[in-house]
Amino acid sequence: MALPRKSTLFDTPEERITELEKRFGMSIDPIGSMDTMVIALGCVLFAITGAFIAAAWVKHSYRPIRAKNLPLTTVLYVSGILWFIGDLPMNGHVLLKGAFSQCKFWNIWVRVLFCFIYTSVLSIRCYALDRVFNQNKPTRGLAYYLPSIVFIGGYIIYSIVTTALPGWMTIGYAETLELCSTTEVYVIVTLCLLWFNWAIIIVMMIRLRNIQSTFNEFYEFLFICFFGIAAMVKTTTVHFTHPKYPLVIGYRIAETLGDVLIINGIILIIMAYPVVMSLVRNKEYEREWLLRLRTDGLQDMYEANLNLRAEGPVLYARMNGSVANQHEKNVVGECRRESKYFDMQDFGPDRYEQAVDRE
């Protein structure tokens, strides 16, 4: 009678650690409570970011939030969650047994693909702003969607090709050690593609530097690029100086938490301020935002190319070249009487009247 097949090659976790230390000649840290804490902390941070995304959808008609391209930011958030899920087995926080032994699936189709999609969405967001405010073109039509299709389609093809290649050329499962093994060539190519994505984001960010104050995404993307490049330097350094980093607790925690902080931090840089303002200074902030939109001369681009209306009963009356300046001043006067708080802001009616007089 045949004996039942063991579910693991090692009788105890200690046996596996001993074998790995003998094979690699290094100290190995077992999976334990610290790994559980990293998973829990990651879930908490994603829950906080998810609360901001949910609040943004509740307030989706709020114009400063709509200008942030909420659907694209939501794709960014979902991609970040899947990237984090792929990090857990690939960074060594769970034992690579059973379903987690499918190294190609977790690495290629979850971790790497959604890391690509995350950075691609940032590039697409830059492109949308560049198209509206630098090229004065709408965010619709084939010309707008084609770069997104090429970007994401190219990475899906890369995932298909790397999956089809044998494990010894890309990534495979070492059953005798219960480990995923990646080749240096696969790591280099994947990191180069990620660096290419960030290079595009930097170029697009530079093109956004002249957008005026209301939509000045330049400083926002400056912070995003700083954190993104820091994360890439960290990841590249760790992969080449400590290729067995999933076996060392300090390195695997640094890699995973670094990714979690970058993923959530970038989304919060984009969405946190308008969401908070919609909750604590709803009308006042929208008034300031709309007035700055007019003062900066961006109303026409906002309405025509973002397919959003900048008009509203709270403050903003559409102002065409045929409308007399006196009428514009009357609108401002009504706004002044409506809200004393608005008078106190840096972008209050006095500044608006000066802008109208200059016209």
Side-chain angles (χ1 to χ4, degrees):
M1 180 178 178
L3 293 174
R5 190 172 182 268
K6 291 199 302 180
S7 60
T8 177
L9 297 174
F10 304 102
D11 294 323
T12 64
E14 290 76 16
E15 238 182 75
R16 176 177 176 269
I17 296 297
T18 301
E19 178 62 26
L20 291 174
E21 288 180 337
K22 187 188 303 182
R23 179 69 63 94
F24 298 126
M26 58 183 286
S27 178
I28 306 296
D29 296 315
I31 297 170
S33 58
M34 289 295 291
D35 297 282
T36 304
M37 189 171 66
V38 168
I39 296 172
L41 182 58
C43 291
V44 168
L45 290 175
F46 275 104
I48 293 171
T49 305
F52 276 92
I53 296 293
W57 276 109
V58 170
K59 297 277 189 176
H60 72 279
S61 60
Y62 192 62
R63 280 160 288 197
I65 288 177
R66 290 165 66 191
K68 292 294 184 179
N69 200 328
L70 188 53
L72 209 56
T73 307
T74 304
V75 173
L76 203 66
Y77 175 67
V78 173
S79 299
I81 291 176
L82 292 168
W83 175 3
F84 169 64
I85 291 173
D87 266 353
L88 298 181
M90 292 299 98
N91 284 349
H93 297 292
V94 296
L95 288 172
L96 301 183
K97 297 190 296 184
F100 288 118
S101 66
Q102 303 301 313
C103 298
K104 283 192 174 183
F105 172 76
W106 292 109
N107 187 280
I108 296 172
W109 289 100
V110 183
R111 183 198 201 182
V112 171
L113 178 61
F114 285 98
C115 181
F116 283 153
I117 291 176
Y118 186 93
T119 53
S120 296
V121 168
L122 288 175
S123 302
I124 293 164
R125 187 168 179 271
C126 286
Y127 173 69
L129 292 166
D130 177 76
R131 185 173 171 84
V132 170
F133 296 110
N134 288 333
Q135 302 179 42
N136 195 22
K137 295 178 180 178
T139 54
R140 53 185 178 270
L142 181 61
Y144 170 67
Y145 290 107
L146 187 60
S148 306
I149 295 170
V150 171
F151 243 121
I152 296 176
Y155 289 129
I156 291 175
I157 291 172
Y158 176 73
S159 299
I160 293 171
V161 170
T162 50
T163 301
L165 290 172
W168 59 267
M169 294 181 66
T170 54
I171 178 171
Y173 182 64
E175 187 175 0
T176 56
L177 300 175
E178 295 177 352
L179 284 178
C180 289
S181 176
T182 54
T183 65
E184 189 173 0
V185 172
Y186 172 71
V187 171
I188 291 173
V189 173
T190 301
L191 288 175
C192 284
L193 288 173
L194 283 172
W195 276 108
F196 174 71
N197 258 10
W198 280 106
I200 291 176
I201 293 170
I202 291 171
V203 170
M204 298 301 294
M205 177 199 71
I206 293 172
R207 286 181 55 85
L208 298 177
R209 69 189 183 279
N210 293 325
I211 296 179
Q212 298 301 314
S213 58
T214 307
F215 283 91
N216 195 347
E217 305 281 347
F218 174 72
Y219 293 107
E220 182 178 292
F221 272 101
L222 194 62
F223 282 109
I224 289 173
C225 285
F226 173 78
F227 289 123
I229 296 303
M232 284 302 303
V233 169
K234 177 235 356 156
T235 299
T236 304
T237 302
V238 168
H239 273 80
F240 286 106
T241 59
H242 298 85
K244 300 292 189 298
Y245 74 89
L247 302 176
V248 181
I249 187 69
Y251 287 116
R252 66 177 179 249
I253 286 177
E255 271 295 282
T256 303
L257 284 186
D259 288 346
V260 168
L261 291 173
I262 294 301
I263 292 167
N264 290 279
I266 287 174
I267 295 172
L268 292 176
I269 286 172
I270 296 170
M271 292 303 305
Y273 188 73
V275 168
V276 170
M277 288 298 101
S278 74
L279 297 173
V280 300
R281 294 181 59 235
N282 188 298
K283 291 184 178 180
E284 294 90 343
Y285 178 68
E286 188 173 37
R287 287 168 180 156
E288 297 165 18
W289 186 86
L290 291 171
L291 186 56
R292 291 174 68 181
L293 188 73
R294 169 59 183 164
T295 305
D296 292 337
L298 298 179
Q299 176 194 353
D300 292 339
M301 291 183 183
Y302 178 80
E303 291 185 348
N305 297 332
L306 287 176
N307 199 28
L308 299 171
R309 296 291 292 176
E311 301 172 327
V314 176
L315 165 71
Y316 199 76
R318 183 176 183 127
M319 304 194 182
N320 297 311
S322 59
V323 179
N325 282 355
Q326 186 57 48
H327 174 68
E328 295 175 344
K329 291 179 181 179
N330 290 340
V331 173
V332 173
E334 292 173 7
C335 295
R336 177 186 284 115
R337 290 190 294 274
E338 181 184 340
S339 176
K340 293 180 181 179
Y341 182 86
F342 186 65
D343 271 333
M344 299 166 58
Q345 305 308 305
D346 183 38
F347 294 95
D350 290 336
R351 174 172 170 176
Y352 185 86
E353 288 176 347
Q354 293 170 9
V356 169
D357 288 336
R358 284 197 300 271
E359 294 180 352

